[in-house]
Amino acid sequence: MQSYFYGLADFLTGKLSGNEVFTSGYSGETSDFVRFNQSRIRQPGHVEQQYMSIDLIDGQRHAGGFSTLTGMVEEDQRRLAELLDDLRGKLPNLPEDPHLLYATEVNSTEQLGENRLPDPEEALARILAAGEGKDLVGIYAAGGVTGGFANSLGQRNWFSSHSFNLDWSYYLRTDKAVKTGYAGFAWDQAAFERKVAAAEVQLAALDHEPMTLEPGGYRVYLAPVAFADYVGMLGWGGFGKKSHETKQTTLLKMIEDGAKFSPAVTILENTKDGVSSNFQGDGFIKPDQVVMIENGAYKECLISPRSAKEYGVPTNGASGFEAPESVEIKAGDIPMDEVLTRLDTGIWINNVWYLNYSDRPGCRITGMTRFACFWVENGKIVAPINVMRFDETMYRALGENLIGLTNEQEMILDAGTYGGRSTGSERVPGALIEDFTFNL
Amino acid sequence: MFETVEQHFKEVAPAADFCSLRLVSELRESVQVRQGVLQPVSTGRDAGAMITVLDQGGMGYAATSDLSRNGLAQAVKQAMAWAERSRGKSVIDFTRVVVPVPQGEYVSPVERPWSEMPLTAKIDLLKAECEKLKTDDRIVDWSAYLVHTGTDQLYLTMDGGRVMQRFSFIVPGIGVTANEGSETVSRNFGGFDLGRQGGMEVLDRIEFTKQSETLTREVLELLTAPNCPSGTMDVLLESNQMYLQIHESIGHPLELDRILGDERNYAGTTFVTMDMLGSYQYGSELLNITFDPTISEEFATYAFDDDGVKAKKEYIIRNGILERALGGATSQARAGKPGVANSRACSWNRQPIDRMANLNLEPGDSTMDEMVGAIEAGVYMKRNNSWSIDDSRNKFQFGCEYGRVIKNGEFGEVVKKPNYKGISATFWRNLRMVGDRDTFEVLGTPNCGKGEPNQAVRVGHATPAAVFAGVDVFGGA
């Protein structure tokens, strides 16, 4: 599709007149999706989709639009020409945009992924085999994901990735289950079997009478997936330049009151080691890394081109949402094999669920424990717990109450598929936290 | 496009037990003015088709944006392949699912079409609203916006079924944010809770141009207001909080695919079990919940669901007793229980699953004054801004933008960050008063998330305000 997209960009370039410029984005995927429930197939199918966007610019006036593509050049050229005409017709009616900023320096890049995916039937057979005698529920998503950028100045960028993501749970009964993910670029049956075996161990640990805990403060271990979700909430309005300038950032107390997290906390957008594309929708190339929190203190915002123009600062290649896509939280010094001992007595939380801010400027987050979470006494797992609601400010959890982070990180590939398959990722350690507040 | 695709489908339909095509063509447009500056305008056309095949007990689908004869033929081939792979390995033998041969059409009621108002007039309207919002130096961000989606959807079956539905969806919104030091508060009107079907006349009905004064006054009140008090007390929930309460703690728990376990890996399970259907005391006798696709301006009104089943109003909970779950034809066949026509997909590239559509609380007979007057000690809350509930849809915690203390039957001081928590299975039994028609509002959200692969769909909730007794209330950090 790379040459196809570039060909359409050339076609559009030929359609420009006067001082017109365009920027254009492409996104596509060819995906197999198979849902499972009770170790049987619920909904299996295939999706092929392609979208192309255009922002037509004349001076400081511009208008944007998108269209699905068919893959047939004549039809797609017709649709794009029609879209271009529609946008051109709008321009005289629009005011100049004081915050328009797009890349004018040509930076063409290419990130090509190799297709080493398993045959769908083979993957299906292996997953169904892993579900034999158990209650497996979840989804297998696999295929190619592509993205591109082009402009009439001659810049061309392309990204392709061929990945799979098996996101599944083994259920024991009611809401007691072990959630596991196996994602990557080539199926490694031995690695998959290790994931299955680890889940089976936890499934056995779940097979005890669950404990119901009273609300209160507990020492907890947030395993990497849970910790990624908790800290991931900062991506929702915490790091963006616009949210800082309009005082809507959930890290407002850092900005206004000088509040800090523990020096053990460093959070960055690590594009270099992530699996997303290194370019954004206005044609800017992302730096390898942007450090948002360094040793507990706020350092840098994610700055989209639009915010850059509005607030008079350089962009660092953030998307319009100014949210990270390749998050890394630096590891700490707690050996993974000492976590149970260091937790001593408290709650081992593998997964959290349905997080939301209960006080945005206070950075207080509520959410639930979910799946396999255990009560631990004297460094030993005693019993699974019934789900608990927490409501805790991040300043306490990552500040005075943070005992430490594990010395190993886990790479988590986002299984999200809203609109299309996500290429987001998180590389995070686990976290030991004292006096974590549960309220229901 | 529709006629051509219809012809192609006739030519490529396979020799299978059943095959359908669902063609969706959407035109999305958005206009926003923020701090007096027009944000980038956007227009987009999203068109594609999904082929679904049932054959010898198996099921498969394929979706494509290539609507040529060849593109659809490829999709049929892929759907057939998945039907074959799933044969004998599916959660249900699909020969047991009764598929209708529907005939019909639906068109959203539109008095003043979106397309007939020039873009410049929309910009001027939003600029005028935006200008009214910056009334104080402490107001740090403000905006007004309109999002419109025109959706044309054609459903065909290989045995002659044909349903054409044309929708016009509009989402208006206004937001204002104020700050002082390390405190920031917001007030919003519309946006994620006020989606409707219709045209520009919706703006008149919701009094879009009359909201700014209330929003700016209230956001400044909140900036200096004390935190919401803590304790167990009555709450009076405005309709724009009730819609969320219904959505999360009645709608989702009653989805039949959750009861059947499909969503356990992602959206979650439910505390509701099959044996509760028909007898469970879900709430007090004042609780009457309907699945109602007949309110013309409501967001998820339609004539047929995405499996071609004709939609009609059904009581889900009557006088507090749970009568039926929210499940489409496939879930009904799997469960052996009655449901509703709610098998829906977010677009052409996702399979239909059980969704809420319009799920409403029928109005009661209490006026707003009577509800306030009946509260000795409590808090009035409006406009949701925080929502979280466990995976069984039981332990919830919700927050609102604006609160007012109620003492001895009268409104008292304004309070910020009103939050409350509870348990679905018992919360609705404490429903003490239900507002009358004057407190009833037609609301709807464009982004209810669920499903694997993930889908965000439009749902409607029409509801009055209501009073609950003995609720655990608290404020901010």
Side-chain angles (χ1 to χ4, degrees), chain B residues 39-308:
Chain B
Q39 303 300 291
V41 293
S42 170
T43 307
R45 172 73 71 183
D46 187 2
M50 173 169 284
I51 298 284
T52 301
V53 167
L54 308 183
D55 195 41
Q56 299 176 59
M59 188 279 275
Y61 69 86
T64 179
S65 53
D66 179 357
L67 299 176
S68 67
R69 188 184 185 283
N70 185 50
L72 295 177
Q74 283 299 314
V76 166
K77 197 173 158 189
Q78 282 156 340
M80 286 290 287
W82 279 111
E84 188 178 333
R85 288 178 193 131
S86 68
R87 188 175 304 141
K89 299 169 189 160
S90 291
V91 293
I92 184 173
D93 175 347
F94 278 89
T95 58
R96 285 173 44 207
V97 179
V98 178
V99 281
V101 187
Q103 295 289 334
E105 60 181 35
Y106 171 83
V107 181
S108 291
V110 176
E111 292 172 18
R112 289 161 44 209
W114 166 269
S115 58
E116 288 182 10
M117 185 175 190
L119 177 59
T120 48
K122 290 171 190 144
I123 294 169
D124 290 345
L125 169 76
L126 295 175
K127 273 194 165 172
E129 289 316 301
C130 212
E131 270 175 28
K132 296 181 202 167
L133 298 170
K134 177 66 172 169
T135 58
D136 190 286
D137 286 345
R138 292 169 294 173
I139 290 179
V140 290
D141 204 11
W142 61 100
S143 66
Y145 55 92
L146 295 170
V147 181
H148 181 267
T149 307
T151 303
D152 293 344
Q153 186 166 320
L154 176 66
Y155 178 78
L156 303 170
T157 65
M158 62 188 289
D159 47 3
R162 186 182 193 282
V163 172
M164 184 75 206
Q165 302 193 93
R166 296 182 192 276
F167 302 94
S168 171
F169 303 107
I170 188 162
V171 179
I174 303 173
V176 59
T177 298
N179 165 264
E180 195 157 45
S182 56
E183 186 61 281
T184 298
V185 290
S186 296
R187 282 288 290 122
N188 289 274
F189 172 76
F192 66 66
D193 66 5
L194 198 46
R196 292 261 184 107
Q197 286 190 35
M200 299 305 287
E201 73 280 359
V202 168
L203 301 191
D204 298 335
R205 289 186 189 144
I206 63 172
E207 300 187 316
F208 185 73
T209 58
K210 295 180 182 170
Q211 303 301 322
S212 58
E213 191 183 331
T214 305
L215 292 175
T216 52
R217 187 189 72 245
E218 290 182 348
V219 80
L220 294 173
E221 285 174 357
L222 287 171
L223 204 52
T224 54
N227 247 324
C228 180
S230 298
T232 302
M233 61 190 82
D234 289 355
V235 293
L236 167 53
L237 301 181
E238 189 54 90
S239 53
N240 53 20
Q241 171 57 24
M242 279 298 293
Y243 95 94
L244 188 280
Q245 184 72 54
I246 294 164
H247 180 92
E248 301 289 5
S249 72
I250 292 181
H252 280 308
L254 294 184
E255 290 160 347
L256 200 44
D257 58 349
R258 279 178 184 265
I259 300 173
L260 289 163
D262 290 354
E263 290 287 335
R264 291 175 298 163
N265 184 59
Y266 176 59
T269 178
T270 170
F271 70 92
V272 175
T273 52
M274 292 291 181
D275 59 308
M276 293 179 179
L277 302 176
S279 61
Y280 180 68
Q281 179 87 41
Y282 206 102
S284 77
E285 286 189 352
L286 297 174
L287 183 63
N288 287 289
I289 296 287
T290 54
F291 172 86
D292 190 354
T294 66
I295 296 181
S296 61
E297 72 270 30
E298 200 164 354
F299 216 21
T301 290
Y302 50 80
F304 295 85
D305 74 6
D306 291 340
D307 281 339

Side-chain angles (χ1 to χ4, degrees), chain B residues 422-451:
Chain B
I423 293 174
S424 300
T426 53
F427 182 79
W428 290 98
R429 295 176 188 178
N430 293 327
L431 176 63
R432 193 180 143 203
M433 301 176 86
V434 177
D436 61 13
R437 282 255 163 220
D438 286 344
T439 74
F440 187 78
E441 275 197 279
V442 177
L443 302 163
T445 187
N447 50 9
C448 170
K450 185 185 166 183

